[in-house]
Structure formats: C-alpha cells, structure tokens
Amino acid sequence: MREAMIVTRENLINLILAALLLAVPIGANWLGQPFYITLATRVAILALAATGLNLALGLGGLVSFGHAAFFGLGGYVAGILASHGFSGEPLLFGFSGTNQMWVIWPVAVVLSGLVGLAIGAISLRTSGVYFIMITLAFAQMVYYFAVSWPAYGGEDGLSILVRNQFPGVMTMRPMSFFLICYVILLVSIGLFALIRASRFGSALQATRQNEVRVATVGIQPYRIRLTAFVISAMITGLAGALFADLNRFVSPSMLSWHMSGELIVLIILGGTGRLFGPLAGAALYVAFEYALGGITERWQFFLGLILLLVVLFARGGLLGLLAGRARHG
Amino acid sequence: MGDAVLEISNLAKNFGALRATDGVTLDLRPGEIHALIGPNGAGKSTLIHQICGTLRQDSGSIRFAGQDISGLGVAQRARLGLGRTFQVSSLASDFSALRNVMLAVQARQGSSFRFFKPVMRDKGLIDTAMTILERVGLAARARLPAAELSHGERRQLEIAMALALQSKAFLLDEPMAGMGPEGSKSLTRFLDTLRHEAPILLVEHDMDAVFALADRISVLVYGRIIATGTVEEIRRDPAVRTAYLGDHA
Ligand SMILES: Nc1ncnc2c1ncn2[C@@H]1O[C@H](COP(=O)(O)OP(=O)(O)O)[C@@H](O)[C@H]1O
Ligand SMILES: [Mg+2]
C-alpha cells in the first residue's frame, strides 16, 4: 500500500536524522574537534525548542510569534538559580538557588507552563494575524522587562560560571552535555508523537482544519488550543534552560523576536507538523549559519532566499521533499 | 405527541437592514420530521445557525431539552444533544471519513483530553465509528480523506457525525443537495427510520422527499413563517401556493 510505504519511508528518514545527529559529535569527539560537538548540541536544543512550537504551530495551526518568551524564561531560570546557587544569596522563602539540572528543569518547565497559560488564555481569544501580533507583544513585554531589570544583568545578560550539574554526569565535557540534550530531544519527540496520535491530538489537528466542525461535535476549540499552547511553552522553556547551560550565558537576546522568528523558520524549513521537521530544520539552519556565516556576513539573506523557495515550491519543507506528503489516517 | 424537544419563540435576526429572521416561532416534537421549506434566501440556514449557536439571534428565545440555550456556545449546545449538518459541508478535510466520525465519537464520550493512547490503535473507537459509517453507507469510503469524497458523500459523512453524537434532535440543512436521484431515495428511506431515534428539523428543496417524510411543514418566506401544517394542509394553502410551491403542489 502506498500509504504504508510513505510512512515507512518517513520513519527511515527520521531514523537517519537521529543517527546523524549522534554520529557527528561522536566523530568530532574521536577527532578531538569539540567545536562540532557544540554545534550538534546547538542543533539538538534548537530542535527541542522548535518541537515545542511545532505542537502549537504544526498540529494546532497556532502561529505563535512569541515563543522566545518561553525559551528565554527557561534560560533565565537556569541562569538565576545558578547565580544564587553560586553566591548563596537567598532567592525565595530561604531557597538560595541550585546548580542541579534536575531541579532547574522542572522549575523551567512549570514556570514556562504558567506563563504560557497566562499568555495563551488571552491570546487564544484572537486568531490569525491578531494572534501573531498579540503573542509577539507579550514576548516583547518580557523582553523589555529583562532588559530593564538590573538585578540579573539587564541588557548585558547573566553568565553561568560553571555549567550546572547532573548526578553522575560530567556536564562540562561537551560530549556528556550533548548526550543529555540528545536524550531529552528524543524523549520530547516521542512525547510529540504520542500526543499527535492521541484523542487530544486528533481534536487539536481538527481545530486547525475546521474550528466550527470541532465545536459542532461538542468540543470547545479554545480549551484544546490552550492546553496545546501550555504544553508547547513547557517544552520550549526546557530547551531554553539547556541553551543557557550550553552557552553558560543568558541574555535578553534569547527573548527577542528574532528568536521567535528563528523557531518558526526552523519548522517551516524542516516540515510543519512533521515529527522530525524541527530537527531537520535546525540541522539545516545551523549548517547554513556555520557554512555561509564563515563566508559572508549576509548569510541570513541566503537563508531568506531558501525559505522563499521552500514556501513557494516545497510546502512540506525538507521532510516533505524527502518523505512525501503527510498522511492523517 | 409529548412536550416539544425544541421550542423557538419570536426569534429575530437582522443583517443590517435585512430581516433574515423575523419573529419566527416553531417547535419540534418527539418522533417527528418537521420540514422547513421556502425559497432561496428566505432565511432557513440562518435559522439553523441560530439554533446551533454559530449565529446569535437579536431577540427571542430558544429552548432545548427543557432549558434556555440562548446563552450557550456551539460546543455546549452540541453536548446537550443538538446534532446538525451544514448546507455547505464542514469537515476536518485532511482527516479520513473514519477519523472524522471517530472525532465525533470521542467528543460524545467526553474523552478529548487523553494524551497517550493512539487513536488508530483504539479498536473500540474505530469499531464504533465504522458501525456508524456502515449505517450511512460510507464504510467502503472510510479511509479516504474527507476532501476527496463527493458532495453527496460529504453530506452522508456529516449525518454520520451527528449520529455519533447520539443527538436528541437533528437539524439537517439540505441533506439531499448534491445527491443523485438514487442517493436522495435511499437517504429518504434512512431519514424515515431516523425519526424514531430523534426528531428532525429538515430544511430541504427536494419536494418529493419533503412530502414523503414530513409530519409537519413550515413555510418560511422573507424570514417569516407564513404557514405551518400537515402535508395536506400545506399543499392546499393558497398563500403557500402563490408564494412558493407553484406547480409542485
Ligand atoms: N452572514 C451574513 N451576513 C449578511 N447577510 C447574510 C448572512 N448570511 C445570510 N445572509 C442573508 O440572509 C438571507 C437569508 O440567507 P439564508 O439563511 O442562507 O437563506 P436560505 O438558507 O433560506 O437560502 C439572504 O438574503 C442572505 O443573503
Ligand atoms: Mg440555506
């Protein structure tokens, strides 16, 4: 059957993508080229952030232009907890921060979810261009707040002196930190796959296709969308915490609208709503940035060209080109 | 006949200067098919939209299953048991016919906040949906995307989704449109049995179907009901003959 064939082909391509992402840093490690490990880690983290957005945008059709808010929030959670953990200054209720990732991650996830709930509850009352603009506006508010708040570096950002710790792992070793990010990415992609195939995923994808139809069978589209938006924010927030640890630095740039746009671009490049679309997109994006960024300052101009070509001629992105149209069963 | 399932009183709706619904009073009783006929632009679809909540009335009230539903949203009214089909079909067009019906089944079960079990491996859900597709004669087309179905088949699919909701009343907006004569005949037979499950408010242009099925007919012209009665009464009504039926009667 044609249907089954395409599914298998996409799975195969997904498998190759996952293997490549693992092979590059292993090879680089072997050759003593830690820079490429960092590059691969960057790909994994951006793919994770975009996987979060893909839930809202790809499955729900919610074009959030404000996901940098969650990405940056996750980053600041890592930065602020680490800085207090380092200085010993109390943060809240006598808690003085931590350098333990297993504490930082849940805090980043929960806070991003709460902020996602607040932003989503208001933004999802609008749709289309208004939704894009209002999510952007919320993210800009968070951005300017971070810029004007001197306690944690303001415009200059905040350094994480020593990368945060994970029990039993030498997080300062590039390869170890890469593996942490890689595992979290795969788990999140698995979660995305489960959600997409579930009853909730059905309802979510149906709201993208036809909101009135969903209401007509008795499901409130708003509740479905808000739930998806919150889960989406949580995943992107977790990616932010990892990104801050990768760079050992967090600044308002993680919260800027460029970042929100970058996440959307990754998804479109890789294939909107596709399981491995964010990874394909992130790999393409980082490869581009690296290959062209060395030659010309204007690499983003060429990225723009490619994006234009994708939108005009390859609507399904890289995965659409390689694996054919998505099927919905 | 017992108390009405659906009671509409003094409903009014303007689009700018146009009176699309002009003081409509109408009810739907258990076990009946109540046909709503009238020329194009009379306001039949607008009335269905107001009953389902996709449009809000300017004034008047709508009672369903013993409660005033005027303030409720589309989804809440559906949960109470209003099942409808659209004049221009409205489906999740990327989904297969089967997944459209599965969506309606999960909606009725109130189980749309389950995150982990894959629907395509959920045998109970699939079987329930397949049984309903068989009832409307779409089983052979179950795996096709809704977008690839014919007009008539999309109509049938909408009916299947309303069935899946186990509705307490059906509101069908021109279900025969786009069906060939054979399709119309078999749908007529089907609706004839459906009335025992729940009463039907039937908007239809196919007069053969209307006269064969209706217990009562209401005639809507320029947003007003000019007559309500049995098939015989409506056939004989002189106002109806001039306004609408012409040589059909
Ligand atoms: N959303 C709308 N805005 C403005 N006018 C509308 C709208 N919907 C319907 N109408 C007008 O209301 C009248 C009744 O339309 P409709 O209910 O579709 O009639 P019917 O279903 O009986 O053919 C028509 O004149 C139509 O043009
Ligand atoms: Mg109409």
Side-chain angles (χ1 to χ4, degrees):
Chain A
M1 263 174 72
R2 188 166 147 264
E3 200 171 317
M5 224 174 69
I6 288 171
V7 169
T8 329
R9 184 153 151 213
E10 180 164 357
N11 287 344
L12 187 69
I13 289 164
N14 293 347
L15 204 68
I16 293 172
L17 277 172
L20 272 178
L21 181 60
L22 186 60
V24 167
I26 288 179
N29 200 26
W30 200 285
L31 299 170
Q33 297 277 355
F35 173 72
Y36 291 98
I37 306 178
T38 304
L39 225 49
T41 312
R42 204 173 135 77
V43 169
I45 295 172
L46 288 177
L48 177 64
T51 297
L53 179 59
N54 202 22
L55 200 81
L57 193 156
L59 299 185
L62 305 170
V63 184
S64 165
F65 200 8
H67 259 50
F70 312 121
F71 194 64
L73 185 65
Y76 272 97
V77 165
I80 291 172
L81 287 182
S83 82
H84 280 268
F86 193 78
S87 68
E89 268 174 61
L91 179 59
L92 264 183
F93 317 118
F95 173 61
S96 60
T98 175
N99 65 355
Q100 290 300 320
M101 289 182 182
W102 60 269
V103 180
I104 290 169
W105 295 342
V107 173
V109 166
V110 169
L111 267 182
S112 301
L114 287 176
V115 173
L117 183 66
I119 293 180
I122 296 168
S123 310
L124 288 168
R125 303 208 175 271
T126 67
S127 61
V129 176
Y130 297 100
F131 179 77
I132 298 175
M133 286 302 141
I134 197 167
T135 47
L136 171 66
F138 274 117
Q140 288 301 95
M141 276 168 57
V142 179
Y143 172 83
Y144 285 114
F145 179 77
V147 166
S148 61
W149 197 24
Y152 297 106
E155 220 171 339
D156 299 331
L158 180 65
S159 288
I160 299 175
L161 297 175
V162 182
R163 187 173 285 155
N164 291 305
Q165 305 293 307
F166 194 84
V169 182
M170 295 275 294
T171 54
M172 272 317 279
R173 283 184 43 208
M175 194 60 201
S176 306
F177 185 63
F178 167 80
L179 285 174
I180 288 178
C181 297
Y182 184 73
V183 169
I184 292 180
L185 172 66
L186 289 190
V187 169
S188 300
I189 289 177
L191 193 71
F192 179 95
L194 273 180
I195 290 177
R196 185 176 65 172
S198 72
R199 292 185 184 213
F200 176 79
S202 275
L204 179 59
Q205 292 168 81
T207 59
R208 185 194 70 230
Q209 297 167 50
N210 187 341
E211 172 179 11
V212 174
R213 171 37 78 188
V214 172
T216 298
V217 296
I219 301 170
Q220 291 188 351
Y222 178 79
R223 291 189 189 170
I224 299 288
R225 287 180 171 147
L226 185 54
T227 308
F229 195 80
V230 168
I231 301 173
S232 164
M234 289 170 147
I235 297 175
T236 302
L238 178 59
L242 293 172
F243 199 68
D245 254 329
L246 172 67
N247 303 321
R248 278 179 292 139
F249 177 66
V250 47
S251 77
S253 72
M254 273 180 79
L255 293 160
S256 79
W257 64 268
H258 299 96
M259 190 66 228
S260 298
E262 197 173 312
L263 293 179
I264 296 177
V265 167
L266 297 187
I267 290 180
I268 295 174
L269 277 180
T272 312
R274 303 300 272 261
L275 195 53
F276 275 68
L279 176 52
L284 213 60
Y285 186 89
V286 171
F288 237 80
E289 184 182 37
Y290 172 68
L292 285 179
I295 303 166
T296 162
E297 291 267 292
R298 294 181 190 80
W299 70 275
Q300 292 199 327
F301 168 79
F302 294 98
L303 181 77
L305 266 186
I306 292 211
L307 198 62
L308 203 65
L309 290 176
V310 167
V311 171
L312 288 178
F313 302 110
R315 269 303 190 46
L318 187 62
L319 276 173
L321 274 180
L322 297 175
R325 264 196 70 199
R327 305 286 294 199
H328 290 273
Chain B
M1 301 219 172
D3 284 346
V5 178
L6 177 70
E7 283 180 272
I8 295 156
S9 33
N10 282 317
L11 208 67
K13 170 96 192 159
N14 295 336
F15 291 121
L18 177 78
R19 292 194 167 176
T21 308
D22 190 2
V24 168
T25 295
L26 172 132
D27 67 1
L28 184 65
R29 298 169 191 159
E32 80 167 341
I33 293 183
H34 188 153
L36 184 64
I37 63 173
N40 270 327
K44 305 180 294 296
S45 296
T46 303
L47 184 61
I48 302 278
H49 279 301
Q50 290 169 86
I51 300 172
C52 300
T54 34
L55 280 176
R56 284 292 158 102
Q57 73 265 31
D58 296 337
S59 62
S61 81
I62 305 169
R63 291 181 65 81
F64 176 66
Q67 87 181 79
D68 189 340
I69 60 168
S70 307
L72 301 183
V74 178
Q76 288 168 303
R77 297 185 199 199
R79 299 284 297 153
L80 283 178
L82 273 176
R84 77 173 292 192
T85 67
F86 293 79
Q87 182 173 355
V88 177
S89 45
S90 176
L91 296 158
S93 48
D94 295 348
F95 278 179
S96 64
L98 178 64
R99 277 197 81 172
N100 270 281
V101 180
M102 285 162 65
L103 183 72
V105 173
Q106 79 174 48
R108 184 190 55 76
Q109 295 172 346
S111 60
S112 291
F113 285 90
R114 289 192 200 155
F115 297 86
F116 299 115
K117 185 170 182 185
V119 287
M120 294 320 284
R121 268 182 248 150
D122 190 334
K123 198 164 176 310
L125 187 61
I126 293 174
D127 289 349
T128 311
M130 272 313 281
T131 312
I132 295 162
L133 280 171
E134 271 158 29
R135 268 189 77 188
V136 301
L138 269 184
R141 312 282 279 168
R143 302 279 171 169
L144 278 183
E148 289 173 27
L149 298 175
S150 74
H151 269 301
E153 287 169 337
R154 288 210 282 270
R155 283 287 144 65
Q156 285 166 282
L157 180 52
E158 290 209 337
I159 293 176
M161 294 177 81
L163 284 177
L165 299 181
Q166 299 182 352
S167 304
K168 294 201 190 82
F170 293 104
L171 310 168
L172 310 182
D173 197 350
E174 301 196 21
M176 315 273 177
M179 284 190 183
E182 269 316 304
S184 296
K185 262 184 213 147
S186 76
L187 187 56
T188 302
R189 280 193 298 274
F190 181 75
L191 294 184
D192 202 15
T193 60
L194 187 61
R195 81 176 89 199
H196 303 298
E197 253 166 74
I200 303 170
L201 183 63
L202 176 67
V203 174
E204 190 46 67
H205 276 303
D206 181 335
M207 283 305 142
D208 294 334
V210 168
F211 289 147
L213 288 170
D215 298 292
R216 287 189 300 156
I217 300 176
S218 288
V219 185
L220 195 68
V221 179
Y222 293 123
R224 276 176 175 279
I225 292 196
I226 60 165
T228 297
T230 63
V231 172
E232 273 318 302
E233 285 162 0
I234 293 299
R235 275 179 192 269
R236 280 200 303 267
D237 191 307
V240 175
R241 294 177 77 115
T242 47
Y244 181 55
L245 285 178
D247 25 85
H248 259 295

